[in-house]
Amino acid sequence: MALMLSLLSALVVLSHGHGGSLGCNLTLNHDLVSNENVVLLDQMRRISLSLCLDDRKDFRFPQQAVNGSQVQRTQAISVLYEMLVQTSRVFFTEQSSAAWNTTLLHQLLTGLHRQLEDLEPCLVQDVGQAESAAGKDPTLAVKRYFLGIRLYLKQKKYSDCAWEVVREEIMSSFSSSTSLQEGLRKKDGDLPGLTLN
């Protein structure tokens, strides 16, 4: 069964690839996959968060790093990409496989991979510009945020409540990244090669 799911996921990923396109072209499909990932995270809920009040934690989400109006336009793609990489890293673990419904988890990881593939051509185009942009690199704040999440899970020994708190936190971070994507869409003309349909 696991092998069948892996093969099916590989086919889904390949069928939604860029077909060799070198341009940066994020379509509505990217937004749809993002919304599907939020729905999957919601469906993964196993216990009520009200049972985990003692486990609640403020992970200090780096709001400035994902605020579309404050992040340099050339860095926005890097921030989105880093959020997806780090989210995948949290859920692509042995402990995560033991905690969640494997079908939903597999679908989430496939969706995250599809989004990463969509962003890769944009990331390559913006690397030189982002490196020359003045100010701090907002992806560092995103990395620190997710490091805090991983350390929290380890400290809590990957308990059901810890996973529930993290699932809820990542759903919230996805909502913030959606606002960053909307900010990119508004600034579409200012990002060379970025087309959001």
Side-chain angles (χ1 to χ4, degrees), residues 16-89:
H16 287 88
H18 295 290
S21 170
L22 296 175
C24 175
N25 183 19
L26 298 181
T27 63
L28 281 178
N29 186 49
H30 183 82
D31 290 341
L32 290 173
V33 174
S34 180
N35 292 335
E36 288 170 11
N37 287 341
V38 172
V39 169
L40 286 167
L41 277 168
D42 189 48
Q43 290 173 348
M44 287 169 68
R45 177 178 305 152
R46 290 181 25 201
I47 58 176
S48 172
L49 197 55
S50 63
L51 299 173
C52 303
L53 296 177
D54 292 339
D55 294 282
R56 297 292 307 249
K57 178 176 172 64
D58 180 5
F59 293 100
R60 299 181 184 235
F61 181 73
Q63 190 62 46
Q64 287 186 325
V66 297
N67 185 336
S69 65
Q70 295 190 14
V71 174
Q72 297 258 345
R73 282 170 245 144
T74 55
Q75 295 172 331
I77 293 291
S78 296
V79 169
L80 283 172
Y81 190 85
E82 192 62 43
M83 286 183 69
L84 293 168
V85 165
Q86 294 296 330
T87 300
S88 297
R89 193 170 172 194

Side-chain angles (χ1 to χ4, degrees), residues 133-145:
K136 287 193 209 175
D137 179 2
T139 61
L140 294 177
V142 172
K143 288 177 184 177
R144 279 192 299 271
Y145 166 72

Side-chain angles (χ1 to χ4, degrees), residues 11 27 34 39 45 54 126 130-131 142 149 153 164 172 194:
L11 287 173
T27 63
S34 180
V39 169
R45 177 178 305 152
D54 292 339
D126 290 335
E131 287 175 352
V142 172
I149 288 174
L153 283 167
E164 181 55 29
S172 176
L194 178 62

Side-chain angles (χ1 to χ4, degrees), residues 8-23:
L8 181 60
S9 293
L11 287 173
V12 168
V13 168
L14 289 173
S15 69
H16 287 88
H18 295 290
S21 170
L22 296 175

Side-chain angles (χ1 to χ4, degrees), residues 111-129:
L112 292 169
H113 183 74
R114 284 171 55 195
Q115 284 188 281
L116 285 166
E117 281 189 332
D118 285 345
L119 286 173
E120 280 175 4
C122 305
L123 188 67
V124 169
Q125 286 182 2
D126 290 335
V127 164
Q129 294 170 353

Side-chain angles (χ1 to χ4, degrees), residues 124-189:
V124 169
Q125 286 182 2
D126 290 335
V127 164
Q129 294 170 353
E131 287 175 352
S132 65
K136 287 193 209 175
D137 179 2
T139 61
L140 294 177
V142 172
K143 288 177 184 177
R144 279 192 299 271
Y145 166 72
F146 278 97
L147 175 61
I149 288 174
R150 289 192 310 277
L151 290 174
Y152 166 82
L153 283 167
K154 187 174 182 179
Q155 178 187 38
K156 293 287 187 175
K157 298 184 176 158
Y158 304 95
S159 70
D160 288 345
C161 274
W163 275 116
E164 181 55 29
V165 167
V166 166
R167 184 198 64 80
E168 190 75 26
E169 177 70 20
I170 290 179
M171 276 187 67
S172 176
S173 75
F174 273 28
S175 295
S176 295
S177 72
T178 300
S179 69
L180 181 59
Q181 289 179 48
E182 289 169 2
L184 278 174
R185 190 176 294 112
K186 289 175 187 171
K187 298 169 187 169
D188 180 25

